[in-house]
């Protein structure tokens, strides 16, 4: 059983999250992404229509395809944030506004080919495995620059920034240390000024760490549980 909040409670959650972000990073322009895995379309649409949510995050291809036609898409964008197999790119390439989880040249090349075929450019973020955790996807920090340079040569794939799923931290100090490293890497990569690579977006921070994330410069936070309640 999931513990779904009522629409009223969910809208309250969204207001509280926005308020806390403003307190943690006054004046910062932070996009609040509602992460919608396992959430039913009616509640998602209420977040868009009454909660002012303009960005949804999907991390499973099949679930996204099952749900997306029920979404109110006029007023919100969808970013793909989950691990993406190359053979699934064709199913989502015409349906998402950004892919945040590009972590290999092979995946970028597949997006390139598909976008050539359908005639669009795909904005992407490159996912970094900051904790070098074997169980997680994402390029290791030391390989990031080389990957960015290779992707920069693909004219249908436009890098707009970086995405992180940080390791679970046992204490606040550790959390701060990780996010400081994330911010430094983001700033370092911006300073390289790689052709055709922009560093506009730093997507980091989930329900348990978004306030630390915005303190360290994240401008997309991806929130599931704190908006829609606990998943199974
Ligand atoms: C599920 C998910 C989130 C949201 O996690 P919560 O802890 O529920 O806020 C963020 N990013 C990715 C990539 C996810 O898969």
């Amino acid at each position: 059983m999931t513990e779904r909040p009522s629409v009223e409670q969910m809208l309250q959650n969204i207001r509280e999250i926005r308020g806390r972000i403003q307190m943690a990073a006054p004046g910062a322009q932070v996009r609040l992404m509602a992460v919608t895995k396992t959430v039913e379309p009616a509640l998602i649409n209420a977040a868009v229509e009454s909660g002012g949510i303009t960005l949804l995050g999907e991390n499973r291809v099949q679930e996204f395809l099952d749900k997306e036609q029920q979404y109110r898409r006029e007023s919100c964008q969808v970013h793909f944030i989950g691990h993406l197999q190359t053979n699934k790119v064709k199913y989502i390439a015409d349906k998402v506004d950004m892919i945040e989880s590009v972590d290999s040249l092979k995946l970028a090349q597949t997006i390139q080919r598909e976008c050539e075929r359908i005639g669009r450019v795909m904005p992407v973020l490159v996912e970094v495995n900051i904790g070098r955790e074997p169980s997680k996807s994402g390029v290791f920090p030391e390989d990031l620059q080389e990957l960015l340079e290779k992707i920069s040569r693909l004219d249908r794939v436009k890098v707009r920034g970086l995405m992180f799923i940080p390791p679970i931290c046992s204490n606040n100090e550790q959390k701060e240390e990780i996010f400081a490293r994330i911010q430094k890497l983001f700033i370092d990569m911006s300073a390289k000024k790689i052709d055709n690579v922009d560093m506009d977006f730093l997507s980091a921070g989930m329900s348990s760490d978004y306030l630390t994330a915005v303190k360290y410069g994240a401008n997309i936070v991806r929130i599931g549980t704190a908006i829609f309640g606990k998943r199974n």
Side-chain angles (χ1 to χ4, degrees):
M1 274 297 293
T2 51
E3 304 161 37
R4 277 290 171 255
S6 64
V7 169
E8 264 323 304
Q9 180 62 55
M10 177 201 64
L11 296 175
Q12 178 65 24
N13 291 345
I14 292 172
R15 281 192 294 271
E16 284 178 11
I17 290 165
R18 286 218 175 89
R20 289 193 200 108
I21 289 173
Q22 274 318 304
M23 299 275 280
Q29 296 292 317
V30 178
R31 288 198 81 182
L32 172 56
M33 171 195 288
V35 176
T36 52
K37 59 186 174 231
T38 77
V39 181
E40 52 281 10
L43 197 59
I44 298 167
N45 285 334
V48 171
E49 291 181 332
S50 309
I53 290 290
T54 58
L55 180 58
L56 304 179
E58 290 280 346
N59 73 333
R60 293 176 191 141
V61 170
Q62 191 55 54
E63 186 184 339
F64 170 53
L65 295 176
D66 290 343
K67 284 163 37 178
E68 68 95 26
Q69 286 182 345
Q70 299 172 64
Y71 290 168
R72 302 271 185 278
R73 287 295 294 273
E74 311 80 42
S75 49
C76 75
Q77 297 190 321
V78 176
H79 289 186
F80 192 81
I81 60 173
H83 180 65
L84 184 56
Q85 291 170 283
T86 52
N87 63 354
K88 301 273 175 71
V89 170
K90 58 179 179 286
Y91 300 118
I92 66 163
D94 61 338
K95 296 186 178 64
V96 297
D97 299 287
M98 183 185 280
I99 298 174
E100 294 200 4
S101 43
V102 172
D103 63 354
S104 71
L105 183 61
K106 185 166 162 248
L107 178 55
Q109 286 167 332
T110 308
I111 297 169
Q112 165 79 14
R113 276 195 301 277
E114 191 56 27
C115 286
E116 251 167 17
R117 197 179 69 79
I118 64 176
R120 72 169 291 189
V121 173
M122 181 66 76
V124 306
L125 304 183
V126 171
E127 181 178 349
V128 184
N129 188 345
I130 191 75
R132 307 175 94 266
E133 295 168 282
S135 62
K136 277 195 181 144
S137 37
V139 61
F140 286 170
E142 64 269 30
D143 301 324
L144 174 60
Q145 187 180 346
E146 190 187 336
L147 179 59
L148 289 172
E149 283 167 356
K150 285 180 173 156
I151 296 176
S152 76
R153 294 175 204 128
L154 304 175
D155 63 349
R156 298 281 178 166
V157 181
K158 176 72 189 174
V159 176
R160 301 293 311 274
L162 303 179
M163 189 268 240
F164 294 84
I165 305 176
I168 292 165
C169 295
S170 51
N171 61 54
N172 227 34
E173 223 166 65
Q174 217 176 16
K175 217 184 262 183
E176 300 252 344
E177 188 265 329
I178 293 267
F179 278 99
R181 262 160 56 200
I182 287 173
Q183 184 175 42
K184 181 174 186 309
L185 189 60
F186 184 72
I187 290 170
D188 285 351
M189 285 304 132
S190 310
K192 304 276 183 205
K193 298 202 184 308
I194 302 168
D195 250 7
N196 192 37
V197 168
D198 293 341
M199 285 291 145
D200 300 323
F201 296 111
L202 174 53
S203 173
M206 314 198 290
S207 293
S208 59
D209 54 16
Y210 67 94
L211 292 178
T212 312
V214 297
K215 217 173 106 183
Y216 287 94
N219 56 12
I220 299 178
V221 291
R222 309 180 307 266
I223 313 276
T225 309
I227 295 177
F228 297 116
K230 278 205 191 77
R231 295 177 295 271
N232 290 349

